[in-house]
Amino acid sequence: MRRNQAEKTVADIIFLNGHIATVNNKQPFVSSIAIKGGIFIAVGNNDDSLSYKGDNTKIIDLNGRIVIPGLNDSHIHIIRAGLYYNLELRWDGVPFLTEALNRIKEQSQRTPNPQWIRVVGGWSELQFKEKRMPTIEEIERNANNIPAFILHLYHCAMINKKTIEAAGYNKDTPNPTGAEFEHDRSGNLTGLITAKPAATILYQTLAKGPKLSYDEQINSTRQFMSELNRFGITSAIDAGGGFQNYPDDYRVISDLAKEGLLTVRIAYNLFTQRPKQELEDFTNWIKMVKPGDGDDFYRMNGAGEMLVFSAADWENTLEPRPDLVNEMESELKGVVKVLVENRWPFRIHATYNESITRFLNVFEEVNKEIPFDGLRWFFDHAETISEDNIQRVKKLGGGIAIQDRLAFQGEYFIQRYGKDISENSPPIKKIIEMGVPLGAGTDATRVSTYNPWISLYWLVTGKSVGGTTLRSKYNCLDRMEALRLYTIGSAWFSGEQGKKGSIEVGKFADLSVLSEDYFSINDEKIKDIESVLTIVGGQVVYAADDFKDLAPQTLPIKPSWSPVAIFGGYYNKKSVIFSSGANNSKTSHKNNHNEKSLVKEETVSSTLHLENQIDTNLQLPNFSDIYQNTNKISNISRGFCPCCDDFFSF
């Protein structure tokens, strides 16, 4: 609507000629928006927005591109991941095991002593063309005497001899509780550490590696936020994490917030750090900080995802579901009572319905003594929650935050629990139909990738990164439904649904202009979507392609040897990595297959390969056989050429 010129408010930015998905049911799509002071002031057609045009207003022609509200990951470990991002070599999205191994080889030439090569989450062996795991021998050979740590799902870590030495392990090191060190026939450690099912030892081993300096952690966190902005992420709810102590390990993110350098809005939860001393942890923190402290870019959100360690139902689907100890209820009740008394919102990790039933028993008991009375609380994950328990969650005013963890280990979930259960895990449609608040996320970075488009692909198609159909058609979402979970749906989990999550007048001007038409492209192409322009609070935080001239100044990566400086983060199809000296031209490379320019693939027994479409009768590989250099792996006989997209023989 036109306004009197004398009353005119002048916009900072106006976007014209777009296909803008507002996620507002009253006005689903518009063509134009205007922004002032970091807030949407007009949402409608071109004329609506142009009525706010002034002499200094920046006009951006979208030329029909899709615009969405900024994405909000309701469960990500952004603070911890930021501290380590520049240290880590990412396999996220890498389509070939040969290239993944070659990245280790390339990085081994740059990583200085005593630093490690770290591959920490974001991948599954089923994403590889070769459909198999690397072997310990391959890691040893490509790491070139540099410590290497490779984390696989929640199941295991593969480390080479240098890492065994650096971690202080030897053949006499006892097995940790709930985990196992593998030994060869001579009693020596092979380098395979398996969670059975507790992943604690995997993270404890990783924590033995060197850290970055404070200045490098500042840089690393900024680089990670920029990488999230690359995919349209503008908000995140941090779920805390092991070895993430408050306030010490929050210094970097807090200092960046004070300097106004955050490019992702962060609401953070506090995760207990000391088994059997959880009540003391939260009692101390209640005296130090309270929910809501901070501002619209960095604010305290409550407790969790770990409330008591006895309630940890490890999500390692390669091992049987753990039974929680008998004392769990009393320990959990003590903590939840204190949280409710002090009006602290909370979240709790809960994978299995069996655990959820027991947790709800505790919550209902506490509610009788101290009413929740609208206190925001929610379950994280809830892959196998039942309809009865969804109803109990609703009655207590709770929510459920789901992530695409099964996109990375769903094949193993099917093998253990069956296809019928998998088709309804998690029961996304039922949760929506029953009116329980539902948000989406990734649980990145130690298992799932942080790329939200992999999660959105999983929500829409029900498929894993390996292409296996995991969920029933009924339990998959249409694209707008999925987008709602990642925007306005996730905003509920920090109590900010009135401020963000949709493109509406008066809300934060957080948005993403997409590289592809999310609403019409082929399902498989959803995984390739990126943002070409990301705006947070009216400010450009990421720009590429047609909008590259708007991009903020590039921040040099520290340290200079960081894997991120060479490979970036999530896989970029334009930068396939070959051994040093390899010719990257597809045409010339086809004519120059040789041992120096390609990483050879071990010929693996067919029993170790995974089919693209899994069924409940498929015999998945024995991991002990895969990781050891046993006689099941024969002599080197063929390789895979990424640029030719084909195998070849030597």
Side-chain angles (χ1 to χ4, degrees), residues 75-95:
H75 185 123
I76 185 173
H77 300 270
I78 183 174
I79 296 174
R80 181 181 65 196
L83 298 178
Y84 294 95
Y85 179 68
N86 283 2
L87 281 177
E88 295 177 355
L89 174 64
R90 307 305 306 178
W91 282 1
D92 306 44
V94 173

Side-chain angles (χ1 to χ4, degrees), residues 99-326:
E99 182 175 352
L101 290 169
N102 217 12
R103 288 185 174 209
I104 292 179
K105 184 176 182 179
E106 291 282 318
Q107 187 58 35
S108 72
Q109 300 172 30
R110 300 179 176 88
T111 301
N113 183 57
Q115 290 289 350
W116 297 8
I117 298 170
R118 311 164 192 238
V119 178
V120 184
W123 66 280
S124 160
E125 70 275 26
L126 294 177
Q127 78 193 38
F128 298 139
K129 182 86 170 184
E130 299 91 330
K131 299 293 180 187
R132 71 171 181 87
M133 293 290 297
T135 66
I136 291 286
E137 192 278 337
E138 286 173 320
I139 294 167
E140 193 78 57
R141 183 173 67 243
N142 285 284
N144 289 324
N145 222 29
I146 299 295
F149 177 100
I150 317 296
L151 181 67
H152 176 253
L153 306 177
Y154 299 97
H155 175 248
C156 68
M158 294 172 284
I159 60 178
N160 63 353
K161 292 175 183 176
K162 276 293 183 180
T163 311
I164 293 173
E165 178 183 324
Y169 299 148
N170 58 55
K171 64 181 182 180
D172 297 320
T173 302
N175 284 332
T177 302
E180 180 179 281
F181 291 107
E182 186 178 72
H183 297 78
D184 62 20
R185 292 178 180 177
S186 299
N188 296 312
L189 297 179
T190 66
L192 175 62
I193 309 172
T194 306
K196 289 185 171 292
T200 305
I201 184 58
L202 310 182
Y203 306 144
Q204 287 175 341
T205 303
L206 180 61
K208 292 177 181 288
K211 295 183 179 180
L212 295 171
S213 68
Y214 170 79
D215 287 342
E216 290 167 339
Q217 287 179 333
I218 287 282
N219 184 277
S220 179
T221 298
R222 293 184 69 186
Q223 298 291 347
F224 186 52
M225 288 189 293
S226 180
E227 175 73 352
L228 294 175
N229 297 149
R230 170 189 165 198
F231 294 103
I233 291 285
T234 62
S235 290
I237 306 179
D238 186 83
F243 303 95
Q244 187 176 327
N245 295 286
Y246 184 84
D248 296 350
D249 293 319
Y250 290 72
R251 178 189 172 199
V252 166
I253 200 71
S254 179
D255 288 352
L256 286 170
K258 290 173 185 176
E259 294 295 321
L261 294 175
L262 298 187
T263 61
V264 175
R265 301 182 190 273
I266 298 173
Y268 65 93
N269 290 75
L270 297 185
F271 181 117
T272 185
Q273 298 295 309
R274 300 181 299 164
K276 303 301 179 183
Q277 299 181 66
E278 299 95 341
L279 184 57
E280 184 179 344
D281 277 348
F282 287 112
T283 300
N284 289 336
W285 290 334
I286 284 169
K287 298 173 184 176
M288 298 170 61
V289 65
K290 65 180 184 297
D293 281 357
D295 57 26
D296 291 328
F297 267 90
Y298 181 64
R299 62 195 297 273
M300 201 273 174
N301 195 49
E305 65 179 295
M306 184 75 81
L307 299 182
V308 293
F309 281 87
S310 56
D313 64 342
W314 302 102
E315 58 277 78
N316 178 5
T317 60
L318 282 98
E319 298 290 332
R321 176 184 61 81
D323 290 321
L324 302 180
V325 296
N326 292 332

Side-chain angles (χ1 to χ4, degrees), residues 408-422:
F408 292 83
Q409 57 177 359
E411 287 83 357
Y412 297 106
F413 187 89
I414 290 175
Q415 185 194 48
R416 183 165 297 282
Y417 299 108
K419 191 166 181 60
D420 288 347
I421 292 178
S422 172

